[in-house]
Amino acid sequence: MGWFLGLGIAGLVLLVLALVFDGVLEGVLDSIGGGLDGFLSLPVIAGFVSALGFTGAIVLGTTGTGAGGAAGAGAVAGVVVGWVTWRFSRALLRDGAAPAPRGRDLTGTSGSVVTEIPAGGYGEVLLYLAGQPVKYAAKAATPVTRGTEVWVESVLSPTSVAVRPVER
């Protein structure tokens, strides 16, 4: 029973280390060729080892089966816990947010001037992307005053756009 309890405790220690050092241990293992991406992550391995150890100890202590039966029951429980951990971690890591806007996403977007745009110089515009306000440096062919509604004609850089006033 001591071996099973040792495995259970070792799995918990591995889980705590994986959570505290958040990716450092996986980075170390990747650098030496461990490559634990995907199903075999440290939390999954820790869950498997803990379930194997604690289930094995419980089965060995409460039933008449020997170490082989306890190890088998622990292995089944370890696979189940490992799979649940993997599914749970995938659900947590799933990013529901949209990807960062690209140039073609900004072109045609409307906004308003928040800092006057001088002739041949830069000002600032406030654009709304996916409902979120985002401020960009802006350049225009003609001077544009503060508060004017503008359309994005093109993207000059990741932080600047070319705009033109909206004509009504």
Side-chain angles (χ1 to χ4, degrees):
M1 184 179 300
W3 283 99
F4 287 118
L5 289 175
L7 281 173
I9 292 169
L12 289 178
V13 169
L14 181 61
L15 179 61
V16 168
L17 289 175
L19 294 175
V20 168
F21 294 110
D22 193 28
V24 173
L25 293 176
E26 289 172 345
V28 169
L29 291 173
D30 286 343
S31 69
I32 60 173
L36 296 177
D37 290 340
F39 185 73
L40 291 179
S41 65
L42 285 177
V44 171
I45 292 170
F48 173 82
V49 171
S50 290
L52 171 85
F54 290 133
T55 303
I58 290 168
V59 168
L60 189 62
T62 59
T63 65
T65 62
V76 169
V79 168
V80 170
V81 168
W83 181 81
V84 168
T85 305
W86 175 68
R87 295 291 294 180
F88 186 64
S89 64
R90 282 189 55 206
L92 287 176
L93 295 176
R94 188 173 305 135
D95 189 11
R102 296 180 298 271
R104 67 176 179 258
D105 298 330
L106 294 173
T107 304
T109 303
S110 67
S112 61
V113 177
V114 292
T115 303
E116 186 174 320
I117 304 172
Y122 283 92
E124 292 178 319
V125 294
L126 188 64
L127 306 175
Y128 286 90
L129 300 172
Q132 298 297 317
V134 182
K135 194 186 306 186
Y136 282 90
K139 193 172 195 174
T142 60
V144 184
T145 60
R146 183 173 189 251
T148 304
E149 186 178 0
V150 292
W151 288 98
V152 176
E153 289 184 318
S154 64
V155 177
L156 304 174
S157 75
T159 60
S160 65
V161 293
V163 298
R164 67 174 172 80
V166 172
E167 298 171 9
R168 294 193 189 256

